[in-house]
Structure formats: structure tokens, C-alpha cells
Amino acid sequence: ISSSEVYGHPESLPLSESRTAEPRSTYARAKLAAEAVCAQRAAAMEIVIARPFTHIGPGQDERFAVAGWARQLARIERGLQAPEIAVGALDATRDLTDVRDVVRAYGLLLEQGQPGTIYNVCSGRETAMREVLDTLIALSRQAVQVTPDAARMRAAEQQRLRGDAGRLEAATGWRPQISLAQTLSDVLEDARARVAQETP
């Protein structure tokens, strides 16, 4: 499992596997180095390389934006937090896929992927993070104030991200099955359940 972060900050979208990797972070460089090691052993060990884009879903750690927003909303609903959500950059766009669809893609690649081949795992859609937050707020039916938080801003934030999963679809027939609206609803329900367990 590699990462879409190996592509760096390209100027044109969507990103296909043929795009030259230009990693900008230590994490991305480590992923690309792991890809190189895997490529050397791909035939003998039947290694397939997946490059997932941003995936979200119930159970995700609250340090990630969407799960963090859902947790804040769940706490607001229970009166444990003032009706204010601290956020990072909202103008950035991401290619979001439900983690359950991502795991299904991994399973299909294990069965049908070509050793030594790289496959993007992504929805192929570009969604603004502001739209994601607005949807969560609408689902919670809470009036909240959205406040920028410098601690949640990343200096080297990628502004736009959208992948091309055509190679994965051609090899396995995979396509995302869970809508973004359903994912966000499930994420909020998961956050509510977690907050309920933490409080008397």
C-alpha cells in the first residue's frame, strides 16, 4: 500500500499512474522508496502496488479532518462543546473514497492485479473540503460557528487532488459503491456512538 502523496503537487489533473512521481514529504519519499523495493521483487513475490487517494469512513482517527469534524459535532450535540468547530484549510479539494470501497479494491487487486503494476485507488471526483464540512453540519442539524485554527493548517497543503482509477477498473471492474453522502452519515453516526461511550 503506497499513497497518492508520491505524486507531489502536480499542476494538472486527474493523476494517472503514468504521472512522474515527485514526492514532497518524508512520508511520500518513504512510500516511493518502498514501491521501488517492491518493484524489484514483484514477479517472484506477486507484489501489486496500490496508490490510495484520500479515504474516509467510520472508525477513522479523529486526527484526520473529516473524523475530527464529526467528533466535534457529536460533542456539540451532547452539550459537551460550545457550538464552534475549529478547522484547517477548507478551500482544498480531495478525491474522497469510502474506506470500505478502498478495502474492497485491495481485495480485488490481490486476486486480479498484475504483479509489478501500480493502481490508483480513488473515486475520480474532486470535492472541496468546505462542501464536506457543510454536509456534516447539515446532517447534524446544529447551528455552529466555523473557526479557522492555525494548528490545523499544513504549510505544504496540496490545493487540488483528483485521481484516475481507470487502470484499476479495467483490471478488476472495481468502482466505488458507497456515496459520499452515505459515508459522511456513517462517519457522524460513528462519532456519536464513540462520544456517547465516553460520557456518562
Side-chain angles (χ1 to χ4, degrees):
I1 307 301
S2 183
S3 169
S4 63
E5 289 198 28
V6 301
Y7 292 116
H9 296 181
E11 295 180 1
S12 62
L13 301 174
L15 297 169
S16 70
E17 296 87 349
S18 62
R19 183 70 62 93
T20 301
E22 298 178 358
R24 298 287 187 96
S25 67
T26 302
Y27 171 81
R29 287 190 290 273
K31 286 293 190 181
L32 192 59
E35 284 188 18
V37 172
C38 289
Q40 293 174 350
R41 296 167 171 77
M45 300 180 67
E46 297 186 350
I47 297 173
V48 174
I49 298 169
R51 285 182 180 165
F53 283 60
T54 307
H55 41 288
I56 59 174
Q60 189 172 34
D61 191 291
E62 65 188 65
R63 289 174 292 181
F64 292 90
V66 176
W69 296 339
R71 176 176 170 74
Q72 290 183 71
L73 283 167
R75 288 178 54 79
I76 290 167
E77 289 175 347
R78 293 183 68 87
L80 301 172
Q81 177 177 325
E84 180 178 342
I85 294 183
V87 300
L90 293 178
D91 293 330
T93 66
R94 291 293 176 265
D95 186 321
L96 302 170
T97 307
D98 190 290
V99 67
R100 294 163 289 192
D101 277 329
V102 172
V103 170
R104 188 168 52 82
Y106 294 164
L108 289 169
L109 285 173
L110 285 170
E111 296 172 354
Q112 302 171 41
Q114 182 67 36
T117 303
I118 297 169
Y119 297 89
N120 284 341
V121 180
C122 56
S123 70
R125 294 184 303 272
E126 188 177 0
T127 304
M129 295 307 286
R130 184 177 306 278
E131 179 184 337
V132 173
L133 178 58
D134 288 346
T135 300
L136 282 170
I137 292 172
L139 287 168
S140 74
R141 299 184 183 91
Q142 296 292 311
V144 298
Q145 179 179 339
V146 177
T147 305
D149 179 1
R152 296 171 188 263
M153 304 287 182
R154 293 197 300 182
E157 185 76 59
Q158 169 73 18
Q159 285 303 302
R160 297 181 59 208
L161 196 59
R162 178 166 58 95
D164 176 359
R167 181 182 290 176
L168 171 61
E169 182 180 345
T172 68
W174 178 90
R175 285 187 178 181
Q177 295 179 345
I178 303 171
S179 69
L180 180 57
Q182 183 62 56
T183 299
L184 295 177
S185 177
D186 292 349
V187 167
L188 184 56
E189 285 301 320
D190 178 66
R192 286 169 173 154
R194 288 168 178 248
V195 169
Q197 289 178 354
E198 295 168 2
T199 56

